[in-house]
């Protein structure tokens, strides 16, 4: 007996030492990253662990999520049972409180163990037979399946034999134990043989368990340890305000962006450890699905591989500085170390096509069960390309120059910014700043012909409701959304500070905008630069006006089936899905059609992340894919809430040659024609363009 105990503790200590050594080594690699404070609001962070780790909220939203739920909770319950299983093998009669003496625990454990086996079977079938693109049929996963299966089966068999040898009331409700015990009792096998078999199975279970422990830090299932920490240290800022500002006035700043992996923060590196490589991000990435050379999953995986290899070299050479490590490697003629250290994040790890394909739609982060933060990794390397190398797509360079010269990406003279409003009798803030709300049409509303119609429609709605509003006119500048997302932080901060100075001088407190990109920037990003405003999207404002009875909708509108498209920056970034639907559903005759990919899973139009100003040379056109999804609902119109989406959808309808039969309409354009007032409604009917007439 003493030999068995001594052998157990010898193996246990060796396994724990090896496990601890490897975990510590990987944690040390995180220290090569930059500092970042993620320890505020501890209560909220703990709440996140309860919701996302133990509650498995993200996973339960998808069809096969219940499988992982059973595997996760089964593993937790089985682990508790394993404690009892091991100690009772070492010390006869030892019972853990609430576990070993609880018949209901054994009942639950047996049930969950069987469910886990079934879930593993389904998971293995998906991975190795169905083989969806997002899930790799690798050896690593197969080893994990075998470990878990072996642990369950050895525990079942050993405990069943033990029950046959020593009947216990504690295991009276354990179905699997009792089935095995009954079979063993009827087999007539000698008790001595059963004892020997039990000891063998007990040791097999222990060795499997400790081997699994040792294997974890070397496998993708390192996420089992990293994910809870990743969730705890998640970004608690609003989704649309998670881009970290750069202190451009810091004279000691040497790196503008990230061109080496150690310039990411430690939390950004932790993401790589937490990634389960489940591919949910990839499955919902419009750039990947349209054939672009990008996969959020692969991006995280490539960063992880690079962290491990570079972390190993930097740690071995005793420094976090690449330059210092290179000097040491060259002095020691260590060519292998020099090769790793000379790898560039941009080019050797991530390709430029990969970097520029991201539309920042947030779909990857929306779907990630461990709350990885993919988008800022792309923006950080874009910053390096733009600010350090001036290396970015020519079309985007033109848009940036246009903003520098005329404060809008179209490059139209800044003095023409208020021309769209000439005949609409709108107050200019410079003439009369006594307004209740500032209307921010954005660059699209001011300069894009199609979006000007949306702006005019919304103005008429506000005028009908008696809203006291004004515009900045020529004093308004581009909000800087696209500049920041392509990595031009300098340009973003320049226009942001100028806009904030202008609005603060007028004492602006409330803003309404027809552009979700402007909404997000003004709401979530300007506060860090001194611009704190109550900002609302025009669909939210219209919904309020209807609720308050300030506008009434007539009942004689022609019937119209509308496939509604959720924009990324109103939906996923700012959580608004209901207001536009509520408006459309309140209009008699309008039927809202839902696409398969809608709300949180809505498919990007392809214009976000600065892609509005870049040509789409690779793969299929994202906007055309979205139009195809809309056309599957057989609509008369596609409803939008964003000027970028409206442009992309109209272009997609033209490309599919259905624009004569299916219109792209902003919610405001539909509402203005449904206003009960005979003057406004009839005038809109009379002035409706051919596209609107074709629809209804």
């Amino acid at each position: 007996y003493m030999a068995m105990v001594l052998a157990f503790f010898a193996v246990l200590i060796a396994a724990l030492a090896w496990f601890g050594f490897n975990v510590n080594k990987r944690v040390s690699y995180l220290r090569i990253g930059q500092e970042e404070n993620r320890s505020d609001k501890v209560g909220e962070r703990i709440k996140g662990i309860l919701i996302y780790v133990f509650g498995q909220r993200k996973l339960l939203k998808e069809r096969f999520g219940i499988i992982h739920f059973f595997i996760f909770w089964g593993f937790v319950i089985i682990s508790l049972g394993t404690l009892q299983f091991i100690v009772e093998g070492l010390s006869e009669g030892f019972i853990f409180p609430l576990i070993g003496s609880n018949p209901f625990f054994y009942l639950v454990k047996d049930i969950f163990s069987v469910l886990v086996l079934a879930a593993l079977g389904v998971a293995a079938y998906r991975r190795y037979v169905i083989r969806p693109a997002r899930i790799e049929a690798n050896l690593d996963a197969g080893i994990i399946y075998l470990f878990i299966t072996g642990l369950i089966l050895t525990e079942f068999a050993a405990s069943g034999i033990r029950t046959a040898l020593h009947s216990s009331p504690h295991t009276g409700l354990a179905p699997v134990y009792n089935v095995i015990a009954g079979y063993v009792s009827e087999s007539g096998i000698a008790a001595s043989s059963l004892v020997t078999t039990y000891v063998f199975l007990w040791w097999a279970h222990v060795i499997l368990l400790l081997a699994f422990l040792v294997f974890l830090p070397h496998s993708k299932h390192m996420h089992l340890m990293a994910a809870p920490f990743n969730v705890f240290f998640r970004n608690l800022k609003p989704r649309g305000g998670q881009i970290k500002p750069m202190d451009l006035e810091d004279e000691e700043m040497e790196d503008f962006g990230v061109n080496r992996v150690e310039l990411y923060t430690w939390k950004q590196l932790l993401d790589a450890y937490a990634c389960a490589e489940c591919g949910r991000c990839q499955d919902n990435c419009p750039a990947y699905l349209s054939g672009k050379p990008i996969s959020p999953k692969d991006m995280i995986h490539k960063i992880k591989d690079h962290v491990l290899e570079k972390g190993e070299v930097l740690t071995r050479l005793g420094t976090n500085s690449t330059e210092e490590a290179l000097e040491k490697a060259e002095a020691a003629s260590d060519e292998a170390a020099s090769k790793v250290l000379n790898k560039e994040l941009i080019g050797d790890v991530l390709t430029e096509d990969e970097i520029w394909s991201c539309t920042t739609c947030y779909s990857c982060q929306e779907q990630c069960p461990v709350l990885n933060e993919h988008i800022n990794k792309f923006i950080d390397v874009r910053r390096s390309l733009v600010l350090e190398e001036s290396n970015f797509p020519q079309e985007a360079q033109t848009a940036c120059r246009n903003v520098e010269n005329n404060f809008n990406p179209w490059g139209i003279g800044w003095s023409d910014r208020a021309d769209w409003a000439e005949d609409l009798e709108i107050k200019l803030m410079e003439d009369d700043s006594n307004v209740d709300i500032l209307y921010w049409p954005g660059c699209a509303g001011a300069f894009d012909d199609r979006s000007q119609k949306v702006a005019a429609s919304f103005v008429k709605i506000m005028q009908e409701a008696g809203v006291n509003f004004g515009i900045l006119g020529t004093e308004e500048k581009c909000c800087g959304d696209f500049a920041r997302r392509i990595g031009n932080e300098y340009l973003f901060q320049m226009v942001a500070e100028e806009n904030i100075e202008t609005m603060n001088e007028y004492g602006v407190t409330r803003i309404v905008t027809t552009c979700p990109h402007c909404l997000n920037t003004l709401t979530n990003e300007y506060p860090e630069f001194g611009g704190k405003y109550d900002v609302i999207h025009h669909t939210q404002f219209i919904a309020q006006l209807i609720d308050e009875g300030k506008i009434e909708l007539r009942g004689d509108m022609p019937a119209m089936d509308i496939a509604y498209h959720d924009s990324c920056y109103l939906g996923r970034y700012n959580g608004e899905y209901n207001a536009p639907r509520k408006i459309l559903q309140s209009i008699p005759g309008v039927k809202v059609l839902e696409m398969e990919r809608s709300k949180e899973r809505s498919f990007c139009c392809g214009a976000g992340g600065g892609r509005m100003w870049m040509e789409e040379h690779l793969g299929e056109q994202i906007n055309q894919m979205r139009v195809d999804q809309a056309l599957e609902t057989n609509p008369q119109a596609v409803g939008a809430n964003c000027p970028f989406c409206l442009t992309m959808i109209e272009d997609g309808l033209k490309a599919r040659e259905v624009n004569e039969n299916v219109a792209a309409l902003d919610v405001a354009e539909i509402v203005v024609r449904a206003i009960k007032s005979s003057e406004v409604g009839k005038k809109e009917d009379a002035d409706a363009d051919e596209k609107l007439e074709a629809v209804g």
Side-chain angles (χ1 to χ4, degrees), residues 96-116:
F96 267 111
L98 303 178
I99 297 177
S101 60
N102 189 342
F104 291 100
F105 172 78
Y106 285 107
L107 171 63
V108 171
K109 188 200 71 66
D110 270 19
I111 292 173
F112 265 91
S113 294
V114 172
L115 289 173
V116 168

Side-chain angles (χ1 to χ4, degrees), residues 517-536:
H517 295 264
C518 295
L519 168 78
N520 184 71
T521 303
L522 298 173
T523 301
N524 298 315
E525 298 184 336
Y526 275 26
E528 291 190 281
F529 300 91
K532 298 181 180 180
Y533 316 106
D534 176 14
V535 191
I536 190 171

